[in-house]
Amino acid sequence: MDKVVGQKRTGAHLYPPMDPFNQQMLDTGDGHSIYVEQCGNPNGIPVVVLHGGPGGGCSPAMRRYFDPSVYRIVLFDQRGCGRSRPHASVINNTTWHLVADIEMIREALNIDRWIVFGGSWGATLSLIYGQTHPESTAALVLRGVFLMTQPELDWFYGGGAGRFWPDLWAKFTDLIPEDEHDDFIAAYHRRLFSGDLPMESRYARAWAGWENALASIESNGSTGESPSDYARAFARLENHYFANAGFLTEDQQILNNMDKIADIPGVIVQGRFDMICPPVSAHTLASKWPKGRLVMIGKAGHALSEPGISRELVHTMDMFADKRDFLNF
């Protein structure tokens, strides 16, 4: 059994489970309703958690990276996933809608500035939000960096990662006729948006299964099959965003706009053996970020739950709690 010191569980590195003190649905005004929850200290340092995917949804475990006596923890399900509605919808669902939703949440909760905490796609969205609203961003804490570039998509959906996982790659690709193998994102798009629910669900589980199997360094490619509803939202939203290049205007948009967050402090926590988001993206990002610090975790893959990654993220948030005056909270 883990030893408990204060509020923290030392064995698992995380704070104990906690329940929200507030839950609500916010109407975006354009057909979506966003689930938002708050945990921890209502008068604490605000931090917003941006989940991955797109389409992953937030989970109770994401609350546990923050000292609940210090932080006011805000989590929400991005458009189309989790408890937000309509489920699996891509209508009015772009990066810029999500950026606007984050600002809507901040204003609705009467928060002036907050720390932005995100992993994988959540790191992408954190960076874009910070570059769009630097005045609202006190600090950035990123995990498993994804910069929404074509080389990253080519790595994961063009056979790069498949060279390390040929058996799992074959399961992903064998569902598609050979004459469509030049673009698996487009091939899956046709099936995920076919209007045939059984077909959409089948290909959604395959799409989600390929990614989930590579997330943890310990899994060796063995994971259970995702529930159909979750997989369909995850796969449709992720594919929708990737088919549209993240709705960015240029392939290197995040890197080309690093001057906008040059004065914002940040920490990047990256698994050395991340097969989904290779470390080169995190390294390149850090090289262009004067106040960004890269922490490479030696024996870790992509997942938030990797012990080394969890430990470092909790340490980082404890560090920012100790420096609240530096962040002007």
Side-chain angles (χ1 to χ4, degrees):
M1 182 174 290
D2 298 327
K3 180 181 177 184
V4 177
V5 179
Q7 297 189 73
K8 194 181 301 183
R9 189 182 296 269
T10 59
H13 318 299
L14 304 180
Y15 286 92
M18 67 188 85
D19 293 324
F21 65 78
N22 171 259
Q23 295 171 288
Q24 57 183 298
M25 300 294 290
L26 293 181
D27 187 348
T28 65
D30 59 2
H32 287 266
S33 184
I34 305 298
Y35 170 81
V36 182
E37 67 175 42
Q38 298 184 78
C39 308
N41 182 351
N43 299 310
I45 301 171
V47 56
V48 62
V49 180
L50 306 185
H51 66 69
C58 61
S59 70
M62 295 177 183
R63 305 166 184 163
R64 300 180 59 194
Y65 289 81
F66 317 94
D67 184 337
S69 68
V70 173
Y71 283 103
R72 179 183 178 185
I73 309 152
V74 180
L75 296 92
F76 73 100
D77 290 327
Q78 294 163 27
R79 294 185 179 215
C81 67
R83 287 148 289 190
S84 294
R85 291 294 180 267
H87 188 70
S89 173
V90 300
I91 297 171
N92 292 330
N93 197 334
T94 71
T95 303
W96 306 107
H97 287 100
L98 300 186
V99 168
D101 290 346
I102 299 168
E103 271 296 273
M104 176 189 69
I105 293 167
R106 184 186 65 79
E107 292 172 358
L109 300 181
N110 294 313
I111 292 171
D112 292 328
R113 297 164 66 248
W114 50 12
I115 297 173
V116 183
F117 179 104
S120 194
W121 162 257
T124 318
L125 188 57
S126 296
L127 288 160
I128 295 170
Y129 172 80
Q131 291 175 352
T132 307
H133 296 285
E135 71 289 346
S136 303
T137 307
L140 291 162
V141 179
L142 312 176
R143 184 267 312 168
V145 167
F146 175 56
L147 299 177
M148 194 59 252
T149 66
Q150 192 60 46
E152 291 168 307
L153 295 177
D154 290 343
W155 162 262
F156 201 65
Y157 298 106
R163 292 179 178 271
F164 289 86
W165 300 86
D167 49 340
L168 301 180
W169 180 240
K171 288 178 63 176
F172 180 75
T173 59
D174 285 353
L175 289 174
I176 302 298
E178 285 193 18
D179 62 357
E180 296 182 66
H181 281 200
D182 60 321
D183 189 339
F184 285 104
I185 292 176
Y188 267 84
H189 186 86
R190 284 187 280 272
R191 291 155 178 86
L192 291 170
F193 293 90
S194 65
D196 180 333
L197 184 58
M199 175 183 286
E200 291 183 4
S201 297
R202 179 190 181 200
Y203 282 88
R205 286 193 294 269
W207 179 280
W210 164 239
E211 182 165 336
N212 291 339
L214 272 62
S216 173
I217 197 171
E218 300 292 345
S219 72
N220 195 29
S222 177
T223 60
E225 192 170 83
S226 299
S228 182
D229 281 353
Y230 171 86
R232 184 168 174 269
F234 179 83
R236 280 168 57 93
L237 290 170
E238 200 169 73
N239 182 280
H240 166 68
Y241 274 73
F242 295 168
N244 288 283
F247 300 94
L248 304 184
T249 57
E250 53 184 325
D251 190 53
Q252 301 288 325
Q253 181 166 330
I254 291 173
L255 294 176
N256 290 342
N257 285 277
M258 288 304 293
D259 60 303
K260 296 179 180 178
I261 59 169
D263 294 327
I264 295 175
V267 176
I268 306 163
V269 179
Q270 179 71 38
R272 174 73 71 180
F273 297 100
D274 190 332
M275 283 286 168
I276 297 174
C277 298
V280 63
S281 294
H283 184 267
T284 303
L285 180 70
S287 72
K288 296 179 177 293
W289 191 2
K291 292 194 174 181
R293 177 170 63 91
L294 173 61
V295 181
M296 198 75 76
I297 307 300
K299 188 182 178 183
H302 183 71
L304 175 63
S305 59
E306 302 272 23
I309 288 176
S310 289
R311 185 187 306 113
E312 187 59 38
L313 287 170
V314 171
H315 170 74
T316 296
M317 296 312 301
D318 287 348
M319 175 196 69
F320 277 127
D322 291 338
K323 295 183 176 181
R324 62 185 303 162
D325 291 339
F326 168 73
L327 296 174
N328 296 319
F329 282 114

